PDB file of all heavy atoms in Angstrom:
ATOM      1  N   VAL W  10     100.096 115.161 100.555  1.00  0.00           N
ATOM      2  CA  VAL W  10     101.215 115.154  99.581  1.00  0.00           C
ATOM      3  C   VAL W  10     101.570 113.627  99.394  1.00  0.00           C
ATOM      4  O   VAL W  10     102.167 112.948 100.250  1.00  0.00           O
ATOM      5  CB  VAL W  10     102.353 115.892 100.124  1.00  0.00           C
ATOM      6  CG1 VAL W  10     103.492 115.854  99.138  1.00  0.00           C
ATOM      7  CG2 VAL W  10     101.926 117.410 100.457  1.00  0.00           C
ATOM      8  N   GLY W  16      98.188 107.871 100.701  1.00  0.00           N
ATOM      9  CA  GLY W  16      97.574 109.108 100.449  1.00  0.00           C
ATOM     10  C   GLY W  16      96.160 108.980  99.910  1.00  0.00           C
ATOM     11  O   GLY W  16      95.268 109.731 100.333  1.00  0.00           O
ATOM     12  N   ILE W  32      89.488 118.495 100.145  1.00  0.00           N
ATOM     13  CA  ILE W  32      90.653 117.548 100.133  1.00  0.00           C
ATOM     14  C   ILE W  32      91.442 117.795  98.725  1.00  0.00           C
ATOM     15  O   ILE W  32      90.815 117.602  97.716  1.00  0.00           O
ATOM     16  CB  ILE W  32      90.115 116.170 100.224  1.00  0.00           C
ATOM     17  CG1 ILE W  32      89.508 116.061 101.538  1.00  0.00           C
ATOM     18  CG2 ILE W  32      91.369 115.246 100.212  1.00  0.00           C
ATOM     19  CD1 ILE W  32      88.782 114.669 101.762  1.00  0.00           C
ATOM     20  N   THR W  33      92.722 118.026  98.855  1.00  0.00           N
ATOM     21  CA  THR W  33      93.555 118.189  97.687  1.00  0.00           C
ATOM     22  C   THR W  33      94.605 117.165  97.744  1.00  0.00           C
ATOM     23  O   THR W  33      95.415 117.210  98.744  1.00  0.00           O
ATOM     24  CB  THR W  33      94.163 119.617  97.577  1.00  0.00           C
ATOM     25  OG1 THR W  33      93.070 120.608  97.458  1.00  0.00           O
ATOM     26  CG2 THR W  33      95.054 119.723  96.261  1.00  0.00           C
ATOM     27  N   PRO W  42      96.371 107.561  90.327  1.00  0.00           N
ATOM     28  CA  PRO W  42      97.028 106.699  91.254  1.00  0.00           C
ATOM     29  C   PRO W  42      96.692 105.181  91.052  1.00  0.00           C
ATOM     30  O   PRO W  42      95.598 104.864  90.807  1.00  0.00           O
ATOM     31  CB  PRO W  42      96.351 107.304  92.576  1.00  0.00           C
ATOM     32  CG  PRO W  42      96.204 108.742  92.307  1.00  0.00           C
ATOM     33  CD  PRO W  42      95.663 108.696  90.910  1.00  0.00           C
ATOM     34  N   GLU W  60      96.021 101.265  83.413  1.00  0.00           N
ATOM     35  CA  GLU W  60      94.652 101.645  83.931  1.00  0.00           C
ATOM     36  C   GLU W  60      93.989 100.571  84.730  1.00  0.00           C
ATOM     37  O   GLU W  60      93.156 100.852  85.550  1.00  0.00           O
ATOM     38  CB  GLU W  60      93.826 102.137  82.770  1.00  0.00           C
ATOM     39  CG  GLU W  60      94.119 103.476  82.210  1.00  0.00           C
ATOM     40  CD  GLU W  60      95.409 103.372  81.315  1.00  0.00           C
ATOM     41  OE1 GLU W  60      95.717 102.277  80.859  1.00  0.00           O
ATOM     42  OE2 GLU W  60      96.006 104.455  81.050  1.00  0.00           O
ATOM     43  N   SER W  66      88.736 104.796  90.285  1.00  0.00           N
ATOM     44  CA  SER W  66      88.459 105.388  89.050  1.00  0.00           C
ATOM     45  C   SER W  66      88.498 106.919  89.236  1.00  0.00           C
ATOM     46  O   SER W  66      88.366 107.458  90.289  1.00  0.00           O
ATOM     47  CB  SER W  66      87.104 105.002  88.630  1.00  0.00           C
ATOM     48  OG  SER W  66      86.089 105.537  89.422  1.00  0.00           O
ATOM     49  N   GLU W  84     107.249 121.901  96.780  1.00  0.00           N
ATOM     50  CA  GLU W  84     108.695 122.536  96.983  1.00  0.00           C
ATOM     51  C   GLU W  84     108.987 122.731  98.433  1.00  0.00           C
ATOM     52  O   GLU W  84     110.081 122.528  98.843  1.00  0.00           O
ATOM     53  CB  GLU W  84     108.735 123.714  96.116  1.00  0.00           C
ATOM     54  CG  GLU W  84     110.173 124.275  96.068  1.00  0.00           C
ATOM     55  CD  GLU W  84     110.347 125.393  95.073  1.00  0.00           C
ATOM     56  OE1 GLU W  84     109.286 126.314  95.047  1.00  0.00           O
ATOM     57  OE2 GLU W  84     111.210 125.453  94.216  1.00  0.00           O
ATOM     58  N   GLN W  90     102.441 129.822 107.974  1.00  0.00           N
ATOM     59  CA  GLN W  90     101.322 130.222 107.186  1.00  0.00           C
ATOM     60  C   GLN W  90     100.342 129.149 106.855  1.00  0.00           C
ATOM     61  O   GLN W  90      99.295 129.354 106.267  1.00  0.00           O
ATOM     62  CB  GLN W  90     101.787 130.777 105.777  1.00  0.00           C
ATOM     63  CG  GLN W  90     102.678 132.088 105.979  1.00  0.00           C
ATOM     64  CD  GLN W  90     101.914 133.299 106.627  1.00  0.00           C
ATOM     65  OE1 GLN W  90     100.680 133.396 106.302  1.00  0.00           O
ATOM     66  NE2 GLN W  90     102.537 133.987 107.512  1.00  0.00           N
ATOM     67  N   GLN W  91     100.737 127.915 107.262  1.00  0.00           N
ATOM     68  CA  GLN W  91     100.008 126.804 106.963  1.00  0.00           C
ATOM     69  C   GLN W  91      99.617 126.473 105.533  1.00  0.00           C
ATOM     70  O   GLN W  91      98.459 126.626 105.071  1.00  0.00           O
ATOM     71  CB  GLN W  91      98.702 126.621 107.713  1.00  0.00           C
ATOM     72  CG  GLN W  91      98.928 126.237 109.291  1.00  0.00           C
ATOM     73  CD  GLN W  91      97.782 125.876 110.079  1.00  0.00           C
ATOM     74  OE1 GLN W  91      97.658 126.323 111.302  1.00  0.00           O
ATOM     75  NE2 GLN W  91      96.752 125.317 109.540  1.00  0.00           N
ATOM     76  N   LEU W 101      99.201 126.184  98.166  1.00  0.00           N
ATOM     77  CA  LEU W 101      97.952 125.506  98.681  1.00  0.00           C
ATOM     78  C   LEU W 101      97.785 125.708 100.218  1.00  0.00           C
ATOM     79  O   LEU W 101      98.598 125.144 100.931  1.00  0.00           O
ATOM     80  CB  LEU W 101      98.127 124.026  98.226  1.00  0.00           C
ATOM     81  CG  LEU W 101      98.346 123.692  96.811  1.00  0.00           C
ATOM     82  CD1 LEU W 101      98.401 122.097  96.640  1.00  0.00           C
ATOM     83  CD2 LEU W 101      97.163 124.210  95.940  1.00  0.00           C
ATOM     84  N   ARG W 143     111.366  98.310  76.449  1.00  0.00           N
ATOM     85  CA  ARG W 143     112.706  98.005  76.142  1.00  0.00           C
ATOM     86  C   ARG W 143     112.974  96.473  75.789  1.00  0.00           C
ATOM     87  O   ARG W 143     113.665  96.164  74.876  1.00  0.00           O
ATOM     88  CB  ARG W 143     113.699  98.404  77.215  1.00  0.00           C
ATOM     89  CG  ARG W 143     115.158  98.223  77.026  1.00  0.00           C
ATOM     90  CD  ARG W 143     115.748  99.462  76.483  1.00  0.00           C
ATOM     91  NE  ARG W 143     117.188  99.197  76.007  1.00  0.00           N
ATOM     92  CZ  ARG W 143     118.088 100.287  75.976  1.00  0.00           C
ATOM     93  NH1 ARG W 143     117.769 101.475  76.258  1.00  0.00           N
ATOM     94  NH2 ARG W 143     119.398  99.958  75.591  1.00  0.00           N
ATOM     95  N   PRO W 148     116.854  92.094  71.227  1.00  0.00           N
ATOM     96  CA  PRO W 148     116.898  90.744  70.544  1.00  0.00           C
ATOM     97  C   PRO W 148     117.302  89.638  71.334  1.00  0.00           C
ATOM     98  O   PRO W 148     116.753  88.578  71.166  1.00  0.00           O
ATOM     99  CB  PRO W 148     117.896  90.970  69.332  1.00  0.00           C
ATOM    100  CG  PRO W 148     118.627  92.181  69.792  1.00  0.00           C
ATOM    101  CD  PRO W 148     117.718  93.147  70.618  1.00  0.00           C
ATOM    102  N   THR W 210     125.430  84.985  94.308  1.00  0.00           N
ATOM    103  CA  THR W 210     125.554  85.770  95.593  1.00  0.00           C
ATOM    104  C   THR W 210     127.053  86.174  95.801  1.00  0.00           C
ATOM    105  O   THR W 210     127.974  85.663  95.154  1.00  0.00           O
ATOM    106  CB  THR W 210     125.148  84.901  96.804  1.00  0.00           C
ATOM    107  OG1 THR W 210     125.725  83.597  96.873  1.00  0.00           O
ATOM    108  CG2 THR W 210     123.495  84.602  96.590  1.00  0.00           C
ATOM    109  N   VAL W 214     128.697  94.732  92.719  1.00  0.00           N
ATOM    110  CA  VAL W 214     128.851  95.479  91.416  1.00  0.00           C
ATOM    111  C   VAL W 214     129.621  96.786  91.520  1.00  0.00           C
ATOM    112  O   VAL W 214     129.247  97.583  92.465  1.00  0.00           O
ATOM    113  CB  VAL W 214     127.465  95.688  90.779  1.00  0.00           C
ATOM    114  CG1 VAL W 214     127.677  96.377  89.467  1.00  0.00           C
ATOM    115  CG2 VAL W 214     126.691  94.418  90.523  1.00  0.00           C
ATOM    116  N   LYS W 216     130.995  98.484  88.647  1.00  0.00           N
ATOM    117  CA  LYS W 216     131.119  99.336  87.345  1.00  0.00           C
ATOM    118  C   LYS W 216     130.081  98.838  86.291  1.00  0.00           C
ATOM    119  O   LYS W 216     129.857  97.574  86.282  1.00  0.00           O
ATOM    120  CB  LYS W 216     132.404  99.298  86.653  1.00  0.00           C
ATOM    121  CG  LYS W 216     132.603 100.230  85.545  1.00  0.00           C
ATOM    122  CD  LYS W 216     134.111 100.186  84.974  1.00  0.00           C
ATOM    123  CE  LYS W 216     134.273 101.147  83.834  1.00  0.00           C
ATOM    124  NZ  LYS W 216     135.723 101.085  83.362  1.00  0.00           N
ATOM    125  N   PHE W 284     107.799 107.052 110.771  1.00  0.00           N
ATOM    126  CA  PHE W 284     108.474 106.256 111.783  1.00  0.00           C
ATOM    127  C   PHE W 284     107.559 106.315 113.082  1.00  0.00           C
ATOM    128  O   PHE W 284     107.445 107.405 113.745  1.00  0.00           O
ATOM    129  CB  PHE W 284     109.866 107.051 112.174  1.00  0.00           C
ATOM    130  CG  PHE W 284     110.739 106.249 113.129  1.00  0.00           C
ATOM    131  CD1 PHE W 284     111.252 104.978 112.834  1.00  0.00           C
ATOM    132  CD2 PHE W 284     111.257 106.802 114.215  1.00  0.00           C
ATOM    133  CE1 PHE W 284     112.068 104.330 113.570  1.00  0.00           C
ATOM    134  CE2 PHE W 284     112.012 106.092 115.110  1.00  0.00           C
ATOM    135  CZ  PHE W 284     112.516 104.887 114.795  1.00  0.00           C
ATOM    136  N   ASP W 345     116.089  84.646 118.080  1.00  0.00           N
ATOM    137  CA  ASP W 345     117.123  83.874 118.530  1.00  0.00           C
ATOM    138  C   ASP W 345     116.895  82.347 118.174  1.00  0.00           C
ATOM    139  O   ASP W 345     117.728  81.414 118.459  1.00  0.00           O
ATOM    140  CB  ASP W 345     117.468  83.963 120.025  1.00  0.00           C
ATOM    141  CG  ASP W 345     116.189  83.689 120.816  1.00  0.00           C
ATOM    142  OD1 ASP W 345     115.288  82.959 120.468  1.00  0.00           O
ATOM    143  OD2 ASP W 345     116.074  84.331 121.952  1.00  0.00           O
ATOM    144  N   PHE W 359     105.340  75.068 103.392  1.00  0.00           N
ATOM    145  CA  PHE W 359     106.120  75.000 104.723  1.00  0.00           C
ATOM    146  C   PHE W 359     106.133  76.369 105.308  1.00  0.00           C
ATOM    147  O   PHE W 359     105.712  77.333 104.728  1.00  0.00           O
ATOM    148  CB  PHE W 359     107.563  74.473 104.464  1.00  0.00           C
ATOM    149  CG  PHE W 359     108.409  75.446 103.824  1.00  0.00           C
ATOM    150  CD1 PHE W 359     109.307  76.297 104.533  1.00  0.00           C
ATOM    151  CD2 PHE W 359     108.484  75.508 102.466  1.00  0.00           C
ATOM    152  CE1 PHE W 359     110.128  77.197 103.943  1.00  0.00           C
ATOM    153  CE2 PHE W 359     109.341  76.397 101.789  1.00  0.00           C
ATOM    154  CZ  PHE W 359     110.128  77.239 102.559  1.00  0.00           C
ATOM    155  N   SER W 360     106.501  76.368 106.592  1.00  0.00           N
ATOM    156  CA  SER W 360     106.517  77.687 107.270  1.00  0.00           C
ATOM    157  C   SER W 360     107.677  77.825 108.207  1.00  0.00           C
ATOM    158  O   SER W 360     108.211  76.852 108.672  1.00  0.00           O
ATOM    159  CB  SER W 360     105.235  77.992 108.064  1.00  0.00           C
ATOM    160  OG  SER W 360     104.931  76.924 108.788  1.00  0.00           O
ATOM    161  N   TYR W 381      99.996  81.011 108.200  1.00  0.00           N
ATOM    162  CA  TYR W 381      99.999  82.579 108.135  1.00  0.00           C
ATOM    163  C   TYR W 381      98.910  82.928 109.072  1.00  0.00           C
ATOM    164  O   TYR W 381      99.071  83.842 110.029  1.00  0.00           O
ATOM    165  CB  TYR W 381      99.883  83.160 106.747  1.00  0.00           C
ATOM    166  CG  TYR W 381      99.588  84.471 106.744  1.00  0.00           C
ATOM    167  CD1 TYR W 381     100.434  85.546 106.933  1.00  0.00           C
ATOM    168  CD2 TYR W 381      98.241  84.988 106.518  1.00  0.00           C
ATOM    169  CE1 TYR W 381     100.165  86.861 106.859  1.00  0.00           C
ATOM    170  CE2 TYR W 381      97.904  86.231 106.443  1.00  0.00           C
ATOM    171  CZ  TYR W 381      98.893  87.364 106.664  1.00  0.00           C
ATOM    172  OH  TYR W 381      98.642  88.582 106.590  1.00  0.00           O
ATOM    173  N   ILE W 400     106.487  71.621 115.160  1.00  0.00           N
ATOM    174  CA  ILE W 400     107.340  71.083 114.214  1.00  0.00           C
ATOM    175  C   ILE W 400     106.900  69.712 113.774  1.00  0.00           C
ATOM    176  O   ILE W 400     107.474  69.064 112.856  1.00  0.00           O
ATOM    177  CB  ILE W 400     108.830  71.178 114.516  1.00  0.00           C
ATOM    178  CG1 ILE W 400     109.112  70.340 115.722  1.00  0.00           C
ATOM    179  CG2 ILE W 400     109.336  72.516 114.616  1.00  0.00           C
ATOM    180  CD1 ILE W 400     110.566  70.116 116.084  1.00  0.00           C
ATOM    181  N   PRO W 402     104.498  67.587 111.811  1.00  0.00           N
ATOM    182  CA  PRO W 402     103.649  67.661 110.667  1.00  0.00           C
ATOM    183  C   PRO W 402     102.272  66.909 110.874  1.00  0.00           C
ATOM    184  O   PRO W 402     101.383  67.252 110.181  1.00  0.00           O
ATOM    185  CB  PRO W 402     104.350  67.190 109.420  1.00  0.00           C
ATOM    186  CG  PRO W 402     105.503  66.321 110.019  1.00  0.00           C
ATOM    187  CD  PRO W 402     105.813  66.850 111.389  1.00  0.00           C
TER     188      PRO W 402
END
Side-chain angles (χ1 to χ4, degrees):
V10 181
I32 298 173
T33 301
E60 287 76 18
S66 68
E84 190 170 44
Q90 297 296 323
Q91 287 189 217
L101 301 178
R143 181 92 184 204
T210 56
V214 177
K216 186 176 182 180
F284 187 59
D345 55 30
F359 71 97
S360 50
Y381 167 78
I400 60 175

